[in-house]
């Protein structure tokens, strides 16, 4: 059975948590004690606010005290469910602009993004920001759920207006696999099953789409990249010379006998054998975590990368990259130094230039600002202390990502997607 | 040492969901080994930490683990679980460190809970933090899963803790792709959860697939129980009896293994792992809901404990 990870995105109160709650509820993934707990919480809140609202399914994902008190999502929540077809990891992201970095966290591993839009408000800035992030991250599929259709009388024309606005936006972001569905997360219309409220809509429900969509079409099977994570050297009497290079194959395929090069040193050798769970396997496929043995005894340590000799990544100290800036305390400026983490390798780097900033409303490239502030998305140029073996994000996602770490606070402050160098 | 013969059939043509989860967990364990100087694996003798140990074998054998196994023993554990813990560590020839909540209570003069549902669960945190200080651990690997509980559902895989061991859920570090940032200052600490994305069913299916051994309490056996408020607790000297308690003998198994004071059993005839899995698949109650008395006391019990330095 395969695994689909999806994130819900969109602005505050567009209904992200409610949609996930509804999916969990309708797939019978909410167990009785969990249901009792949110029933109790809903009742308490109703009493406090003197209302008589139905059970709030959003409480299933809003797991923190402050989230329940404020009725908002602060950080991503991971929920798990399963149908006979697939296993799902649902990632409920916060809508508030202030918590965008948490949305980026959740989105970075998603195969599909569900972008919610409140039918009464249509496409707004946060819809655009989250769509921009989804497209930068190269999330394979975008499903737009035009939500709260119950509050606009299930009107087809409202839906069509929003759909056509979004299609234009998707075009400018080069979002290719787009599906737009009218829903009411609250009532469950077109969530797990098709509703009778909108007979004018002939397409799939949200769950039907999740069940049918083809994922991981974009996985790179061509370019083998194996960063060495850890060297296994038992040095025991039984295994005095054993030396295994443990790591995860990021992309591509490696086979016994392959001619390989170790970067950054550039030395060539051959794969003598590949091990998994102390058994030899002939072939490793991404993203398996395996152990490599090489013919020659080279000096290899953590952070080095094993690649096919005839298919090597770029090896350079100069890196052009898109960055999502995530530090709410300090700005990114030219000349600033950071720790750069690419795969398992860490080196120092300096910001050489801020090339342009992307306007989240118009997606236009604004020329060279002086600094980047929280939630800015920009293209920057970095120079690292030593050469890094990288690919561009579009060519090979798994080897085209980096993070920037603040040297004093140690916090992750930048999410980077490497660009093709001209 | 195991047989190291060639076995080309081992290679899966493609990876299924369990293979992905396994590969992810191995990657995370090796990141711990690569990024930290003094990590530890928190081991309780329960199914999740036994699964972690099995994953560590896949990550590091034929080498030794780059961390000791550490158990914070409340003194209220099931003997079957602590026996299993000792035997496993011995048979793997890995280092096991056990620290006792009892000792912390004595040296720090801590006040124990008393009365009906008294547990040492909260006190474990003190012993854990002391143990971290004693060995200068910069990282503790734990077997928590996000599907267990709503506060855990929000936690990062590399979960940063300040010098007091506290989790700040409102300021978690971004965690992108598979790039884990374990950089810390001295005195700070990271809790790492390699099986964050596994569900209870995934763990059971993995245990079945890999033929991992478990303590016998996970399978049906006859035991003298205390029937209290609809829950079945193992009868032991650690539980303060209540006038309403009934002592009964039942055929039971445990779905989780925590302290005897706060872990309830389920009635079951399931002797084989297939039967256990079938029963869990059929149940409509969550793992913690069915078996943990301690989480039911307040809505935010787990969140509060984590903020205080709990696992
Ligand atoms: N009428 C109606 N109300 C809805 C619908 N979906 C969600 N709501 C309500 O809209 C409000 C916000 O829903 P949430 O699911 O908490 O919104 P969210 O997008 O998760 O919010 P953040 O995570 O804080 O950004 C709640 O009061 C929901 O009950 C819908 O389809 N129809």
């Amino acid at each position: 059975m395969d695994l689909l990870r999806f994130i819900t995105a969109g602005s505050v109160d567009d209904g992200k948590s409610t949609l996930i709650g509804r999916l969990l509820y309708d797939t019978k993934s909410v167990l009785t004690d969990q249901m009792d707990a949110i029933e109790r919480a809903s009742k308490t809140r109703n009493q406090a606010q003197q209302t008589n609202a139905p059970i709030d399914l959003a409480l299933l994902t809003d797991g923190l005290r402050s989230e329940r008190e404020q009725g908002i999502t602060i950080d991503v929540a991971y929920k798990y469910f399963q149908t006979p077809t697939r296993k799902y990891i649902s990632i409920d992201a916060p809508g508030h602009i202030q918590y965008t970095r948490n949305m980026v966290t959740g989105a970075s591993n998603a195969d599909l993004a569900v972008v919610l839009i409140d039918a009464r408000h249509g496409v707004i800035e946060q819809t655009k920001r989250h769509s921009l992030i989804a497209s930068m991250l190269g999330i394979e599929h975008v499903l737009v759920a035009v939500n709260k259709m119950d509050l606009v009388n299930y009107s087809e024309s409202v839906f069509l207006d929003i759909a056509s606005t979004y299609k234009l936006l998707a075009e400018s972001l080069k979002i290719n696999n787009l599906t737009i569905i009218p829903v009411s997360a609250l009532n469950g219309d077109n969530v797990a099953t098709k509703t009778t409220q909108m007979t004018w809509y002939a397409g799939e429900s949200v769950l039907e789409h999740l069940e049918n969509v083809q994922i991981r079409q974009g996985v790179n099977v061509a370019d083998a990249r194996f960063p060495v994570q850890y060297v296994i050297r038992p040095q025991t009497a039984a295994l005095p010379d054993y030396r295994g290079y443990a790591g995860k194959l990021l992309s591509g395929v490696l086979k016994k006998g392959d001619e390989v090069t170790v970067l950054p040193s550039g030395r060539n050798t051959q794969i003598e054998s590949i091990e998994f769970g102390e058994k030899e396997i002939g072939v490793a496929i991404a993203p398996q975590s395996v152990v490599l043995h090489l013919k020659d005894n080279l000096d290899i340590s953590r952070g080095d990368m094993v690649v096919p000799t005839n298919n090597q990544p770029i090896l350079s100290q100069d890196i052009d990259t898109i960055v999502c800036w995530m530090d709410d305390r300090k700005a990114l400026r030219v000349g600033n130094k950071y720790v750069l983490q690419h795969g398992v390798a860490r080196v120092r780097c300096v910001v050489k230039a801020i090339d342009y900033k992307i306007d989240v409303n118009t997606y236009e490239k604004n020329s060279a600002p002086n600094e980047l502030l929280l939630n800015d998305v920009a293209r920057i140029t970095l120079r690292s202390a030593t050469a890094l073996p990288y690919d561009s994000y579009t060519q090979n996602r798994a080897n085209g990502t980096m993070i920037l770490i603040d040297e004093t606070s140690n916090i992750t402050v930048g999410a980077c997607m490497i660009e093709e160098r001209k | 040492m195991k047989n190291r013969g060639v076995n080309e059939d081992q290679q899966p043509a493609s990876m299924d969901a369990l293979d992905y989860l396994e590969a992810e967990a191995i990657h995370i364990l090796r990141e711990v080994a690569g990024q930290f100087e003094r990590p530890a694996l928190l081991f309780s003798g329960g199914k999740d930490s036994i699964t972690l140990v099995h994953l560590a074998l896949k990550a590091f054998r034929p080498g030794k683990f780059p961390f000791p196994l550490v158990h914070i023993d409340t003194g209220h554990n099931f003997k079957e679980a602590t026996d299993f813990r000792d035997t496993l560590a011995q048979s793997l020839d890995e280092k096991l460190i056990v620290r006792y909540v009892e000792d912390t209570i004595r040296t720090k003069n801590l006040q124990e809970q008393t009365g009906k549902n008294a547990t040492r669960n909260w006190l474990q945190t003190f012993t854990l933090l002391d143990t971290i200080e004693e060995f200068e651990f910069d990282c503790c690997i734990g077997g928590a899963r996000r599907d267990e509980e709503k506060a855990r559902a929000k936690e990062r895989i590399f979960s940063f803790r300040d010098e007091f061991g506290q989790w700040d859920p409102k300021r978690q570090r971004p965690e992108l792709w598979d790039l884990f940032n374990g950089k810390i200052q001295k005195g700070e600490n990271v809790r790492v959860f390699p099986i964050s994305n596994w569900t209870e069913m995934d763990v059971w299916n993995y245990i079945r697939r890999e033929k991992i051994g478990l303590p016998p309490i996970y399978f049906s056996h006859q035991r003298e129980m205390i029937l209290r408020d609809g829950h079945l607790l193992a009868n032991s000297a650690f539980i303060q009896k209540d006038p309403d308690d009934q002592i009964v003998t039942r055929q039971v198994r445990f779905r989780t293994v925590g302290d005897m004071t706060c872990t309830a059993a389920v009635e079951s005839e399931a002797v084989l792992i297939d039967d256990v899995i079938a029963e869990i698949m059929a149940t409509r109650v969550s793992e913690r809901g069915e078996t943990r008395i301690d989480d039911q006391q307040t809505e935010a019990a787990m969140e509060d404990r984590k903020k205080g330095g709990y696992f």
Side-chain angles (χ1 to χ4, degrees):
Chain A
M1 192 177 293
D2 76 353
L3 188 64
L4 185 140
R5 301 187 197 222
F6 70 93
I7 183 164
T8 52
S11 190
V12 182
D13 281 353
D14 281 354
K16 296 176 289 299
S17 308
T18 308
L19 180 81
I20 289 191
R22 191 78 216 190
L23 275 171
L24 293 169
Y25 183 78
D26 287 344
T27 54
K28 312 245 173 327
S29 315
V30 186
L31 300 171
T32 50
D33 53 311
Q34 297 164 332
M35 203 63 209
D36 291 347
I38 67 163
E39 236 171 271
R40 272 198 306 275
S42 296
K43 258 195 212 127
T44 317
R45 206 168 57 189
N46 279 344
Q47 270 162 10
Q49 299 174 353
Q50 312 224 332
T51 50
N52 192 18
I55 296 172
D56 184 359
L57 292 171
L59 291 171
L60 283 170
T61 59
D62 288 340
L64 300 175
R65 190 202 300 276
S66 2
E67 293 180 324
R68 287 191 299 274
E69 282 168 4
Q70 300 169 39
I72 59 163
T73 307
I74 292 172
D75 210 331
V76 280
Y78 297 84
K79 289 281 164 187
Y80 303 79
F81 65 99
Q82 189 169 348
T83 64
T85 323
R86 271 196 166 135
K87 284 176 69 84
Y88 294 94
I89 302 183
S90 70
I91 308 166
D92 185 26
H96 279 75
I97 177 162
Q98 166 187 10
Y99 304 122
T100 302
R101 59 179 170 209
N102 296 334
M103 180 268 175
V104 180
T105 287
S108 69
N109 286 316
D111 306 301
L112 181 147
V114 180
V115 177
L116 280 104
I117 297 177
D118 186 325
R120 295 168 304 172
H121 308 139
V123 173
I124 56 177
E125 174 170 320
Q126 198 61 344
T127 323
K128 293 182 187 170
R129 184 189 306 275
H130 281 179
S131 301
L132 172 66
I133 292 168
S135 106
M136 317 242 74
L137 287 169
I139 297 180
E140 255 183 293
H141 301 271
V142 172
L143 187 171
V144 172
V146 178
N147 188 29
K148 308 199 187 180
M149 288 300 292
D150 56 305
L151 297 181
V152 296
N153 296 318
Y154 297 105
S155 153
E156 180 178 17
S157 68
V158 169
F159 172 74
L160 290 178
D161 273 356
I162 295 172
S164 70
T165 310
Y166 195 90
K167 276 183 196 150
L168 287 179
L169 179 158
E171 238 164 72
S172 62
L173 288 175
K174 302 197 178 64
I175 292 173
N176 298 323
N177 302 313
L178 176 68
T179 306
I180 308 181
I181 303 177
V183 307
S184 166
L186 194 67
N187 299 341
D189 296 314
N190 289 342
V191 176
T193 49
K194 289 290 291 292
T195 179
T196 49
Q197 298 281 3
M198 293 175 270
T199 44
W200 46 265
Y201 172 75
E204 302 167 302
S205 70
V206 171
L207 184 63
E208 281 166 357
H209 185 70
L210 296 177
E211 296 274 81
N212 296 333
V213 67
Q214 295 264 344
I215 50 164
R216 281 187 279 278
Q217 305 284 77
V219 170
N220 183 315
V221 289
D223 311 314
R225 305 286 183 252
F226 185 87
V228 174
Q229 254 188 307
Y230 184 79
V231 183
I232 299 177
R233 288 187 62 198
Q235 293 178 294
T236 53
L239 295 166
D241 301 320
Y242 181 102
R243 186 190 282 265
Y245 301 105
K248 168 165 112 173
L249 183 57
L250 297 180
S251 52
V253 176
L254 283 178
K255 290 192 295 293
K256 181 177 173 150
D258 282 357
E259 304 280 342
V260 292
T261 300
V262 181
L263 298 174
S265 75
R267 287 185 209 283
N268 296 332
T269 180
Q270 250 186 10
I271 296 184
E272 188 171 71
S273 63
I274 305 175
E275 252 183 278
F276 178 71
E278 291 191 90
K279 295 210 178 68
E280 197 171 326
I281 55 174
V283 194
I285 55 170
Q288 273 187 313
S289 286
V290 297
V291 178
L292 293 190
H293 294 267
L294 302 176
K295 277 256 159 67
D296 304 283
N297 217 334
L298 305 177
D299 174 18
I300 299 175
S301 49
R302 177 175 159 87
D304 290 350
M305 191 181 280
V306 179
V307 301
T309 305
N310 61 11
N311 175 352
Q312 301 196 19
I314 299 158
L315 184 66
S316 170
Q317 284 175 267
D318 297 302
I319 307 158
D320 292 341
T321 181
I322 297 288
V323 65
C324 293
W325 188 246
M326 305 191 289
D327 195 346
D328 54 358
R329 295 177 178 171
K330 286 190 250 171
L332 176 142
R333 294 198 184 84
V334 173
N336 283 6
K337 295 194 175 68
Y338 298 98
V339 174
L340 184 167
Q341 183 171 334
H342 170 249
V344 305
R346 279 197 196 132
V347 295
R348 295 187 75 207
C349 74
V350 58
V351 179
K352 284 293 188 190
I354 302 176
D355 305 315
Y356 57 79
K357 193 174 114 173
I358 300 172
D359 184 308
V360 294
N361 265 310
T362 60
Y363 302 142
E364 274 164 17
K365 296 168 181 173
N366 292 344
S367 58
N370 290 327
E371 56 179 25
L372 299 183
L373 302 174
L374 179 67
N375 299 326
D376 279 346
V377 178
R379 217 279 291 269
I380 58 173
T381 304
L382 299 172
R383 185 165 172 86
S384 58
T386 55
L388 291 172
Y390 65 82
D391 296 293
S392 73
Y393 192 74
T394 41
Q395 165 87 21
N396 186 1
R397 183 170 167 167
N399 193 36
T401 55
M402 308 183 299
I403 54 174
L404 297 178
I405 300 172
D406 186 278
E407 289 191 299
T408 51
S409 71
N410 290 326
I411 290 173
T412 306
V413 288
C416 300
M417 288 140 281
I418 302 176
E419 296 249 286
E420 210 86 51
R421 265 187 92 82
K422 297 287 157 1
Chain B
M1 204 52 52
K2 282 202 204 118
N3 172 19
R4 316 183 47 76
V6 178
N7 181 356
E8 309 238 344
D9 310 332
Q10 263 300 109
Q11 177 60 38
S14 65
M15 297 168 74
D16 70 9
L18 264 190
D19 295 322
Y20 277 107
L21 292 171
E22 180 189 53
E24 179 180 81
I26 294 173
H27 174 73
I28 293 163
L29 285 168
R30 287 173 175 164
E31 274 310 278
V32 169
Q35 291 198 28
F36 296 95
E37 279 168 33
R38 268 184 290 277
L41 187 150
L42 299 175
F43 181 73
S44 65
K47 69 177 190 317
D48 296 314
S49 61
I50 291 170
T51 299
L52 278 186
V53 168
H54 184 82
L55 289 162
L57 290 171
K58 290 218 171 174
F60 302 111
R61 283 294 186 257
K64 293 294 276 287
F65 294 173
F67 37 69
L69 310 178
V70 173
H71 185 216
I72 305 303
D73 192 330
T74 58
H76 293 172
N77 294 94
F78 287 89
K79 187 172 181 311
E80 292 91 333
T82 47
D83 284 352
F84 190 92
R85 167 196 81 189
D86 297 340
T87 316
L88 185 68
Q90 203 170 25
S91 71
L92 298 176
D93 193 22
E94 293 291 347
K95 184 170 176 185
L96 172 70
I97 296 169
V98 182
R99 286 293 176 271
Y100 297 91
V101 172
E102 192 73 51
D103 294 337
T104 319
I105 292 173
R106 217 169 326 107
T107 54
K108 288 223 153 84
N109 207 357
L110 297 177
Q111 194 60 47
E112 282 205 69
Q113 284 183 358
T114 51
K116 197 173 163 188
N117 286 321
T119 114
R120 285 183 167 175
N121 212 319
W122 171 251
L123 295 179
Q124 272 184 84
T125 305
F126 293 92
T127 315
L128 174 65
L129 296 179
D130 285 354
T131 310
I132 288 172
E133 250 179 63
E134 177 185 352
F135 294 94
E136 295 181 38
F137 291 134
D138 48 4
C139 169
C140 297
I141 305 163
R145 309 184 321 263
R146 285 170 173 158
D147 79 329
E148 270 179 76
E149 202 280 331
K150 58 187 180 302
R152 292 211 197 273
K154 313 229 68 153
E155 195 166 7
R156 299 284 186 260
I157 292 174
F158 270 46
S159 181
F160 175 82
R161 301 301 171 94
D162 68 12
E163 60 196 306
F164 303 100
Q166 305 179 105
W167 180 51
D168 182 355
K170 287 172 107 171
R171 284 200 72 82
Q172 297 197 82
R173 286 182 178 179
E175 190 164 83
L176 300 140
W177 300 289
D178 57 354
L179 305 180
F180 297 103
N181 172 9
K183 266 178 80 71
I184 50 171
Q185 311 279 350
K186 203 172 157 53
E188 296 167 346
N189 184 278
V190 179
R191 307 287 166 82
V192 172
F193 304 109
I195 58 169
S196 287
N197 286 323
W198 297 43
T199 62
E200 182 190 20
M201 257 356 277
D202 292 328
V203 171
W204 280 108
N205 283 324
Y206 189 69
I207 287 169
R208 170 163 63 182
R209 182 179 99 173
E210 304 284 313
K211 302 188 173 60
I212 301 170
L214 291 182
I217 44 178
Y218 282 108
F219 304 96
S220 176
H221 58 286
Q222 206 178 57
R223 190 186 279 265
E224 194 178 274
M225 309 297 291
I226 300 173
L227 179 58
R228 169 183 291 182
D229 303 334
H231 287 291
L232 284 169
L233 294 161
N235 190 14
S236 75
F238 311 130
I239 299 182
Q240 211 169 314
K241 304 290 182 303
D242 195 73
D244 294 336
D245 290 348
Q246 267 176 276
I247 307 294
V248 294
T249 299
R250 295 284 163 84
Q251 199 69 24
V252 296
R253 67 176 165 78
F254 290 85
R255 190 167 163 194
T256 66
V257 171
D259 273 10
M260 297 183 82
T261 54
C262 59
T263 310
V266 291
E267 289 196 64
S268 167
E269 301 286 336
V271 181
L272 302 171
I273 187 155
D274 286 340
D275 305 332
V276 173
I277 290 179
E279 282 189 8
I280 293 172
M281 274 173 72
T283 176
R284 297 301 303 154
V285 187
S286 78
E287 187 182 55
R288 293 193 91 81
E290 186 162 62
T291 67
R292 289 298 170 93
I293 315 278
D294 48 328
D295 276 349
Q296 296 168 3
Q297 297 182 358
T298 78
E299 253 270 286
M302 177 63 80
E303 181 180 346
D304 292 341
R305 268 182 286 157
K306 281 174 123 27
K307 283 181 182 161
Y310 192 72
F311 308 120

